[in-house]
Amino acid sequence: MASIPSEIIPELRVRLDVFAEPGEHGRVFTGPNGGPLKHSGFRRTWNRTRSTVGLPGLRHIGNTLAASTGASLKELMSRMGHSSTRAALIYQHAGQDRDKAIARALGQAFRKARDNGHGKPSGTQRARKIIKFR
């Protein structure tokens, strides 16, 4: 079972208090008339609800956000319940924010390698200084 961010717990509690059936075995989601939610009508109801509240593609958004955190493919597969890499790869979009984060990390790795991890100029940097002043 995947963990959920603690920040959304208050919203989940409100949802349960307002919309779910009472009791330990109460349904979290019910049909339009308060009965069991039928599989045959779920997609139509789900799509209409998402559209009404302005949040189409909630699963896609959630999975894309999970991928943007830098989670490994295996972690995403486990979180999403996917058994194939193909399904999980759909959510690994190359977003601009993530691309910038990757560039920053690469820059840090380059600076560390360039400075030999000690803040000292590398041999290449010393050679450039020598050549520059001749």
Side-chain angles (χ1 to χ4, degrees), residues 82-101:
H82 293 154
S83 58
S84 78
T85 56
R86 183 172 181 236
L89 284 171
I90 292 169
Y91 302 102
Q92 290 191 319
H93 303 291
Q96 190 174 19
D97 290 342
R98 186 70 185 133
D99 188 53
K100 288 179 182 178

Side-chain angles (χ1 to χ4, degrees), residues 17-59:
D17 290 344
V18 174
F19 297 105
E21 290 181 332
E24 184 178 332
H25 300 288
R27 294 179 192 94
V28 176
F29 298 98
T30 59
N33 298 322
L37 187 61
K38 297 178 182 172
H39 181 69
S40 61
F42 175 76
R43 182 169 296 283
R44 184 178 61 251
T45 302
W46 176 245
N47 289 338
R48 185 176 49 238
T49 302
R50 286 187 346 204
S51 180
T52 300
V53 299
L55 293 172
L58 288 177
R59 178 175 168 85

Side-chain angles (χ1 to χ4, degrees), residues 109-120:
F110 175 77
R111 283 190 300 280
K112 184 176 179 179
R114 179 193 63 202
D115 298 340
N116 295 324
H118 304 292
K120 297 178 183 176

